[in-house]
Structures are given as structure tokens and as C-alpha cells.
Amino acid sequence: MTVKFLGTGTSQGVPVIACDCRVCTSPDPKDKRLRSSILVELNNRNIVIDTGPDFRYQMLREQVTRLDAILFTHSHKDHVAGLDDVRAFNRQKGGAIDIYGSTEVHEALEREFYYAFSAKKYPGVPQLELHQITTAAFPLFGAMIQPIEVMHYMMPVLGFRIGDFTYITDAKTVAEPEVAKIKGTKILVVNALQRDPHISHFTLDEAVAFAQQVGAEQTYFTHISHRLGRHEEVQRELPSSISLAYDGLMLTGLHA
């Protein structure tokens, strides 16, 4: 199994429109962050977790020519807005793309992309096969996917554990039973929005504390705001077992 970070930014991305802060004007490519998403290659199948507003560009940049499934963490726009561009993969596949999400996610997709679910569909609309998931593990492409429920302020969000890899975004609190599902993971990805307190996201210090609580061999931070600071400067502050993820980072040799 391999994982590639398609985007590691928060809802506005980095640089932020019309912002001239030292992060948004940084020449470092690692300070250019699209909206958060990853591409998982699992047993020769391609899975994307979240299709944000940058989905089309992410697929073009990484030269993805086949998509087999999409997992959704939650229904906020920065995680679902690019779903319409799945149409290209519908043509390539010759059928619908399997979509895995909670009831709340499905309701949002049916509302936001209503034309894909109407009784009389316009030619060329996205073809989506919805699969409802809960916090129970489910099989996909020869592996078991274990959802991890975290709280994004008062909104439940699903992270996903696949073998020794766990991906969590938009978390502020994680209940102990959910932490127990993560224990033993070798690679943890979790959000670290900024340094200052935030109502619905881990701060840098909170993300570090959570990473130490889980005790993974290596942790990567994602869903990063321009308020966190420049990549190279923040990285120097972190323990050796924790790194800032960046767009294009690839993790290989993972076990499902």
C-alpha cells in the first residue's frame, strides 16, 4: 500500500487569496498547500479520501488515470466540493464510482449534487454508487477499513485506519474508545491547524500531544493553515517522530 498527499492545506488552502503574510508569499514549494486529501493505492486499486475544491487539479498533477473508490470524512465544502469531476473517471471506468460515507455525508451529496441523483438525469452527470458506512469496519479491495469517529467541534467526522496507517482530519476531540482503535498504528496522519486555540481543530500543541498519546512510529500533520508558520521553521520545532506533511509527499511500504 502507498499513500500520496494530494493536499495538506486547510479550507482556504495556502497561499490564501489576497494574503501577503510571510507564509503565503514563501517561495518554498512545501508552503503551497491545496485542500486536504490523500490518494491510497491498495492492492492495485486507487482510493481517494475526500474530493475538495482542488480535486481536478490534484488528479491532473498526479496523473491519476483510474479511480476505484472515494471515502469521505465529512460533508464540509473543502472535503466534497470537487466531486463533480469524478465524471472523467466514470467515462474511463464505464460506470459508477463507489462512494463510502456516513448517512449525513450521503444526505449532503444528494443535496449539493442533486442532479446526479434525480430521476431523470441529464447526460454526463456524475455516476455515483453510494455505500453507507458507520463506525464499524468494512471490507474494501482485500483489506479492512476501520472508521475512527472524531469530533469536529460538535460534528462527527470519520478518520480511517487501513492496516498500519491511520488518517484523521478535522479533529478537535477523540474519545478513548476511538483512540483505542488507533493504537498500534505505525503511521498516523492528523490535523494541526495553527498555534492559537481553535474551536474545531487541533492546535499544533494539541496535535503533538495526541501523536504522543497514540505513540505511532511516525506522525504526519496535515490540514495546515498559513497561521501555523513556514514549513521549514515549524519542522525544526517538532520531535523526530513527527513531521509536517506536504503536497506530493509519498509514503511507501505500508501494510494493509
Side-chain angles (χ1 to χ4, degrees):
M1 182 172 67
T2 64
V3 172
K4 176 164 274 193
F5 288 84
L6 302 174
T8 56
T10 186
S11 59
Q12 297 183 86
V14 183
V16 175
I17 293 172
C19 182
D20 62 356
C21 77
R22 60 190 304 272
V23 176
C24 288
T25 57
S26 168
D28 186 349
K30 293 180 179 178
D31 287 323
K32 313 300 182 187
R33 302 182 183 276
L34 301 178
R35 268 60 74 95
S36 290
S37 176
I38 60 171
L39 171 67
V40 180
E41 184 179 341
L42 173 64
N43 295 328
N44 297 314
R45 302 291 188 93
N46 284 338
I47 304 168
V48 164
I49 299 183
D50 290 338
T51 59
D54 302 311
F55 175 66
R56 173 183 173 274
Y57 177 69
Q58 290 164 338
M59 296 295 95
L60 289 170
R61 184 191 67 190
E62 302 303 330
Q63 300 181 348
V64 179
T65 59
R66 191 186 80 195
L67 183 60
D68 298 291
I70 299 170
L71 309 184
F72 280 112
T73 60
H74 64 301
S75 63
H76 280 168
K77 283 286 192 178
D78 56 319
H79 295 264
V80 305
L83 182 60
D84 183 81
D85 285 314
V86 79
R87 291 177 294 156
F89 295 114
N90 291 146
R91 290 193 298 272
Q92 185 276 337
K93 182 180 180 180
I97 299 296
D98 291 309
I99 308 294
Y100 294 83
S102 66
T103 299
E104 186 273 336
V105 166
H106 287 181
E107 290 172 351
L109 297 181
E110 290 170 349
R111 182 173 61 250
E112 300 295 330
F113 302 96
Y114 62 92
Y115 51 90
F117 301 97
S118 62
K120 295 183 179 179
K121 295 182 176 65
Y122 191 84
V125 300
Q127 300 173 54
L128 311 171
E129 185 70 33
L130 300 185
H131 303 272
Q132 183 177 326
I133 58 174
T134 62
T135 56
F138 61 94
L140 185 62
F141 306 141
M144 292 300 294
I145 312 294
Q146 175 61 69
I148 311 292
E149 185 178 80
V150 304
M151 295 304 295
H152 184 34
Y153 185 38
M154 294 187 293
M155 181 183 196
V157 169
L158 293 181
F160 298 100
R161 179 174 182 175
I162 311 172
D164 55 17
F165 172 79
T166 299
Y167 181 81
I168 293 172
T169 186
D170 291 62
K172 180 61 177 180
T173 57
V174 186
E176 283 300 322
E178 301 303 305
V179 174
K181 296 178 183 178
I182 308 169
K183 290 293 182 70
T185 194
K186 292 183 179 180
I187 304 294
L188 171 67
V189 179
V190 69
N191 57 298
L193 186 75
Q194 60 190 36
R195 297 176 187 272
D196 296 333
H198 193 276
I199 194 170
S200 61
H201 282 279
F202 281 152
T203 64
L204 181 63
D205 287 345
E206 290 169 342
V208 169
F210 182 74
Q212 292 172 338
Q213 178 186 6
V214 171
E217 292 179 7
Q218 188 68 40
T219 295
Y220 294 91
F221 290 160
T222 192
H223 211 285
I224 293 167
S225 162
H226 65 152
R227 296 185 181 91
L228 185 63
R230 286 186 174 178
H231 183 282
E232 63 176 359
E233 295 171 358
V234 178
Q235 185 60 53
R236 286 198 294 265
E237 302 175 23
L238 298 175
S240 59
S241 61
I242 300 177
S243 301
L244 294 187
Y246 54 87
D247 291 21
L249 172 64
M250 178 175 281
L251 309 179
T252 60
L254 305 175
H255 296 286

